[in-house]
Amino acid sequence: MSTHTDAHTSMPAQTPDHFLTVDDLTPDQLRSVLDRAGEYKAAVEAGEPHGDLEGKTLAMLFEKPSTRTRVSFETGMTQLGGHAVFLGPDDTQLGRGEPLKDTARALSGYVDAIMARVFDHEDLVELATYAEVPVVNGLTDAAHPCQTLADLLTIEELFGGFDGVSAAWVGDGNNVASSFAVGCAMVGVDLTVATPESYGVDDDVLATAAEVGTAPTTTTDPAAAVADADVVATDVWVSMGEEDERAEKVAAFDGFTVDEDLLGDTDAKVLHCLPANRGEEVDDETLEGERSAVWQQAENRMHVQKALLSELVE
Ligand code: CP
Ligand code: NVA
């Protein structure tokens, strides 16, 4: 992990542990984060103090909007006895063109970790390259690993573990799907990904999943994907930054709505990272119904991120 000795001069002398993609955690670290998240959740429910990051500060850089990520990280830091600083797109000199690599080194002199939500994943990599403190991915166009941690904790809570659990992803092969695929592979959840032909998960993500476990089965048939699934996950068809593709994507995803027609008699639980577009990737009945675990999933963002920060921050 880093010392702050070279903060203003050059590249870090020692590389801190970052969390840019799910597989940045070793399987042991992932296990430890999920276990600690459960402990933190119990502590919150019991009203027990757990100030493991007392005096620590998290910078939160946002290029895009957020509800869950911002509030769960900020509240999580408060519960851990620390502090979080919100830096929106108009709040820093980044908006006036200061390079990320300069921002990374300056922030490293003040804070103990940086969480960033940016468009281009390469920007996050640059931030991490120059930061002397851990950098956490709060969503890029390529990945949303904190979401996956919450998804995995939710699956574990719902099914008492991962053994024998089958999951289906129905919808866009996007950032959330990509991280979910790698996460499922790491814990041994059997995953089938159903997307329209041109919107599959990238080949490099499938290759990573194969390296860390078993690559998901891919299909263009959502009904086949959900037939034996214990859990069905989805996300919006039009991600932030893709607004110009809306008409084309909505047409391409016809038939991929997670609704009662698709789920039929299965008793699968439904996950959605939120925010949801009711009537597109999921219908209101499903989101509000017995199958839905989305509020539990949303709450779990905070518990897993607290555990992650405790793992990464010295
Ligand atoms: N799921 C998720 O990241 O939500 P926000 O965009 O509200 O942070
Ligand atoms: N895929 C969505 C997730 C939002 C949390 C997006 O990138 O906009």
Side-chain angles (χ1 to χ4, degrees):
M1 302 289 279
S2 75
T3 65
H4 289 260
T5 47
D6 291 342
H8 308 291
T9 53
S10 61
M11 300 281 287
Q14 243 180 313
T15 308
D17 286 338
H18 301 299
F19 183 63
L20 309 190
T21 56
V22 177
D23 57 312
D24 280 343
L25 293 180
T26 64
D28 283 350
Q29 283 178 309
L30 175 58
R31 186 61 266 158
S32 151
V33 165
L34 294 175
D35 287 343
R36 198 180 313 200
E39 289 161 20
Y40 281 147
K41 188 169 183 172
V44 171
E45 283 164 7
E48 289 164 1
H50 47 285
D52 294 351
L53 292 183
E54 201 177 328
K56 304 291 184 183
T57 300
L58 173 72
M60 306 191 299
L61 269 179
F62 284 92
E63 282 183 356
K64 312 183 190 186
S66 167
T67 298
R68 280 143 287 267
T69 303
R70 178 191 174 171
V71 178
S72 57
F73 268 106
E74 189 162 340
T75 307
M77 281 302 289
T78 303
Q79 291 181 1
L80 288 168
H83 177 64
V85 180
F86 173 75
L87 300 167
D90 301 323
D91 293 332
T92 69
Q93 299 287 9
L94 282 168
R96 294 179 57 249
E98 183 171 23
L100 267 171
K101 61 184 182 181
D102 295 0
T103 305
R105 285 171 288 185
L107 286 178
S108 296
Y110 311 131
V111 303
D112 302 284
I114 301 168
M115 184 275 290
R117 167 169 287 196
V118 297
F119 285 94
D120 187 345
H121 192 83
E122 287 311 309
D123 284 346
L124 188 76
V125 172
E126 183 178 341
L127 190 66
T129 301
Y130 285 89
E132 298 195 28
V133 295
V135 171
V136 172
N137 184 350
L139 180 142
T140 65
D141 288 350
H144 198 4
C146 289
Q147 183 63 53
T148 300
L149 297 180
D151 300 349
L152 295 180
L153 179 62
T154 308
I155 290 172
E156 196 164 43
E157 288 174 342
L158 290 171
F159 301 102
F162 299 118
D163 278 359
V165 175
S166 294
W169 177 272
V170 176
D172 196 9
N174 63 11
N175 44 8
V176 177
S178 298
S179 294
F180 189 65
V182 175
C184 284
M186 281 184 78
V187 299
V189 165
D190 182 39
L191 175 66
T192 301
V193 175
T195 68
E197 188 74 48
S198 315
Y199 294 100
V201 170
D202 287 348
D203 286 345
D204 61 333
V205 171
L206 299 178
T208 301
E211 273 167 34
V212 299
T214 305
T217 303
T218 58
T219 176
T220 56
D221 181 352
V226 305
D228 296 318
D230 301 302
V231 56
V232 176
T234 189
D235 181 23
V236 292
W237 295 339
V238 183
S239 285
M240 291 180 276
E242 295 182 338
E243 289 76 11
D244 290 350
E245 298 170 48
R246 162 161 283 284
E248 187 188 323
K249 290 193 85 170
V250 168
F253 284 85
D254 186 32
F256 282 78
T257 303
V258 175
D259 58 14
E260 298 304 305
D261 279 350
L262 180 69
L263 297 171
D265 293 334
T266 70
D267 53 6
K269 293 289 184 185
V270 169
L271 299 182
H272 191 310
C273 64
L274 305 174
N277 252 335
R278 287 168 168 82
E280 291 192 1
E281 77 281 357
V282 67
D283 70 342
D284 183 68
E285 190 183 357
T286 303
L287 207 58
E288 300 290 347
E290 287 292 306
R291 303 173 185 281
S292 172
V294 300
W295 312 118
Q296 179 180 346
Q297 181 188 8
E299 181 191 317
N300 282 341
R301 286 290 303 276
M302 183 178 73
H303 305 303
V304 293
Q305 289 159 190
K306 287 167 66 180
L308 177 74
L309 290 169
S310 292
E311 178 79 27
L312 298 184
V313 174
E314 276 188 330

